[in-house]
């Protein structure tokens, strides 16, 4: 299969890489992650200025109307720089959901603001009760008084403390799902915020009989299909981010092994470590191939083949995150776990990626279920 990219796609990749290299060095990132908000609105505005936040916005709403492959390229470059801004949840998942489900009025209200970086949206779907079915949720939306009453909780919602808009999934009395675009300052929302292991911010969201107007619901149709599509698009994008981080971590390890000397020679000369780094390279290449497959399948119609491909990608990439991360830390020794070295930050992000959107074990079960 030909995995070469078009001239426009290569330009998009290089534009993103130049931005990350110019404005998101390791020291700049440390200052951002240690700030009160854990992100940079200036960086977010810069991402909007170069058009990245409009990547999945339809052309009629002033966007680029790109697809999963373009998303993969941008996410890979952002993964190389360990960018902590909420690109995945806002510019990819939330933007895609509104573009797919929103009415004309809702699209005109939200998509230009999202593309311009004026609003950060967070896709709030994950719940604490683990389930093999990602569409099986307990949060409910009950029609009442010309609107809906939202009750329930969402668990470990990345970037929720920074959000202006929450896209909350809830189950209607008839059993189908609906998606609501709810301003983050709506009364009845209790947010428990905390830092995550990978230097980001997340929160548990508790909806305590929260009333929202009817026009906060995105469209009146059954949202199950769109939510499933958005979750798979997000999973493919996360896999792409992992490949960017894997690239940088492998390169840092090879460079260190060539410079660090033991017994008068670089440790990269030792055959045992050469074998380790060769295995790291194999895992990285397998992860990249599966990321391509995930991006291609994410743009297809839902079905068993798409589910199998995306779960297979998450399994292979999850295994690569664990193996490459652990080997990089071991080869670096004690330095590999210090905050002063970028290796530890790549390791922690890869650790988190392996857990997000379903663990390796859960996707192995999903892969098997899709085959039967």
């Amino acid at each position: 299969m030909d995995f070469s990219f078009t001239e426009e796609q290569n330009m998009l990749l290089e534009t993103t890489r130049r931005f990350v290299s110019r404005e998101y060095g390791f020291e700049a990132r440390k200052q951002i992650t240690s700030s009160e908000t854990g992100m940079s609105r200036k960086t977010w505005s810069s991402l909007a200025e170069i058009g990245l936040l409009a990547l999945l916005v339809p052309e009629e709403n002033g966007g680029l109307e790109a697809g999963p492959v373009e998303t993969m390229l941008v996410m890979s470059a952002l993964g190389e720089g360990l960018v902590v801004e909420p690109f995945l949840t806002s510019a990819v998942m939330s933007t895609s959901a509104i573009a797919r489900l929103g009415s004309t009025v809702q699209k005109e209200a939200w998509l230009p603001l999202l593309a311009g970086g004026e609003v950060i949206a967070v896709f709030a779907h994950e719940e604490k009760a683990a389930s093999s079915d990602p569409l099986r949720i307990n949060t409910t939306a009950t029609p009442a008084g010309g609107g809906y009453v939202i009750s329930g909780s969402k668990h470990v919602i990345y970037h929720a403390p920074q959000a202006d808009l929450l896209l909350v999934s809830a189950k209607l009395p008839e059993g189908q799902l609906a998606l609501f675009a709810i301003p983050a300052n709506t009364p009845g929302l209790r947010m428990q915020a905390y830092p995550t292991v990978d230097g980001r911010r997340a929160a548990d969201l508790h909806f305590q009989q929260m009333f929202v107007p009817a026009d906060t619901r995105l469209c009146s149709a059954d949202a199950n299909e769109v939510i499933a599509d958005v979750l798979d698009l997000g999973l493919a994008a996360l896999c792409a981010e992992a490949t960017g981080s894997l690239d940088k971590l492998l390169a840092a390890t090879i460079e260190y092994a060539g410079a660090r000397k033991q017994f008068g020679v670089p440790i990269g000369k030792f055959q045992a470590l050469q074998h380790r780094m060769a295995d790291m390279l194999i895992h990285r290449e397998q992860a990249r191939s599966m990321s391509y497959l995930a991006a291609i399948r994410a743009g297809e119609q839902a079905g068993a083949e798409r589910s199998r491909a995306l779960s297979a990608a998450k399994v292979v990439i999850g295994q690569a995150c664990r193996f490459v991360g652990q080997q990089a830390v071991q080869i670096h020794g004690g330095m590999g776990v210090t905050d002063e070295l970028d290796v530890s930050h790549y390791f922690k992000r890869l650790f988190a990626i392996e857990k997000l959107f379903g663990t390796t074990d859960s996707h192995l079960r999903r892969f098997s279920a899709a085959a039967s």
Side-chain angles (χ1 to χ4, degrees):
M1 183 177 290
D2 182 12
F3 285 124
S4 59
F5 303 115
T6 66
E7 182 179 352
E8 291 79 8
Q9 289 170 338
N10 281 318
M11 288 177 60
L12 178 64
L13 175 61
E14 289 308 313
T15 296
T16 311
R17 279 178 169 164
R18 283 197 300 270
F19 170 81
V20 171
S21 175
R22 183 179 66 250
E23 298 196 23
Y24 221 87
F26 182 57
E27 292 303 320
R29 180 186 181 275
K30 284 172 65 176
Q31 291 181 5
I32 291 171
T33 56
S34 61
S35 67
E36 184 178 351
T37 60
M39 66 160 286
S40 168
R41 286 278 181 172
K42 180 176 179 291
T43 299
W44 192 247
S45 296
S46 297
L47 290 171
E49 289 172 5
I50 61 176
L52 295 186
L53 301 188
L55 193 66
L56 297 181
V57 174
E59 289 183 359
E60 59 264 28
N61 298 113
L64 302 179
E65 200 167 348
V69 173
E70 289 78 12
T71 303
M72 175 190 72
L73 295 173
V74 172
M75 286 297 298
S76 174
L78 296 179
E80 292 175 5
L82 287 177
V83 174
V84 298
E85 279 63 37
F87 187 88
L88 172 59
T89 189
S90 186
V92 177
M93 300 179 70
S94 297
T95 297
S96 179
I98 293 174
R100 288 279 307 276
L101 264 184
S103 65
T104 300
V105 172
Q106 290 167 332
K107 291 178 184 179
E108 291 175 351
W110 292 117
L111 291 178
L113 296 178
L114 289 168
E118 300 167 71
V119 166
I120 292 174
V122 166
F123 197 80
H125 177 75
E126 188 75 18
E127 296 189 355
K128 193 168 186 177
S131 171
S132 58
D133 181 3
L135 298 183
R136 186 180 300 169
I137 61 173
N138 296 319
T139 300
T140 60
T142 306
Y148 296 87
V149 174
I150 310 292
S151 299
S153 298
K154 300 295 182 179
H155 185 58
V156 193
I157 304 303
Y158 266 65
H159 304 291
Q162 302 135 351
D164 305 299
L165 184 70
L166 301 171
L167 266 61
V168 180
S169 58
K171 183 169 61 177
L172 297 172
E174 299 82 8
Q176 75 268 29
L177 297 184
L179 200 61
F180 297 86
I182 303 172
N185 59 357
T186 300
L189 169 64
R190 183 168 62 89
M191 184 181 298
Q192 293 177 295
Y194 44 82
T196 59
V197 68
D198 51 346
R200 288 155 170 77
R201 303 289 196 277
D204 294 340
L205 309 178
H206 304 283
F207 307 100
Q208 302 167 322
Q209 297 291 308
M210 182 176 70
F211 176 80
V212 297
D215 62 4
T216 59
R217 181 180 174 187
L218 296 181
C219 197
S220 58
D222 185 346
N224 288 54
E225 180 181 345
V226 172
I227 291 175
D229 290 346
V230 169
L231 290 174
D232 280 351
L233 177 63
L235 175 57
L238 184 73
C239 290
E241 181 192 347
T243 63
S245 295
L246 288 168
D247 283 343
K248 287 295 187 179
L249 190 53
L250 176 59
T253 303
I254 293 173
E255 180 182 4
Y256 177 78
R260 174 74 167 89
K261 290 187 177 181
Q262 188 71 33
F263 305 113
V265 296
I267 62 173
K269 295 286 187 180
F270 300 152
Q271 191 175 57
L273 295 188
Q274 290 177 351
H275 288 171
R276 285 196 191 190
M277 288 183 284
D279 288 340
M280 291 168 70
L281 174 63
I282 291 170
H283 275 280
R284 193 276 308 272
E285 290 302 309
Q286 290 175 333
R288 190 194 310 280
S289 296
M290 294 305 287
S291 175
Y292 290 170
L293 176 64
I296 292 169
R297 290 287 185 256
E300 297 178 350
Q301 188 172 359
E305 185 175 358
R306 189 179 84 179
S307 294
R308 280 172 57 83
L310 285 163
S311 287
K314 187 57 163 65
V315 169
V316 171
I317 289 169
Q319 292 170 341
C321 288
R322 179 166 299 208
F323 183 84
V324 174
Q326 290 177 346
Q327 296 303 318
V329 167
Q330 289 188 15
I331 291 173
H332 278 83
M335 294 174 55
V337 293
T338 62
D339 282 346
E340 289 73 23
L341 200 67
D342 60 358
V343 168
S344 70
H345 298 270
Y346 283 107
F347 172 76
K348 285 183 280 192
R349 180 55 182 165
L350 291 173
F351 171 82
I353 287 174
E354 197 272 333
K355 306 297 181 186
L356 291 170
F357 288 81
T359 64
T360 299
D361 288 343
S362 69
H363 277 283
L364 277 172
R365 292 191 293 269
R366 181 186 175 190
F367 182 86
S368 299
S372 58

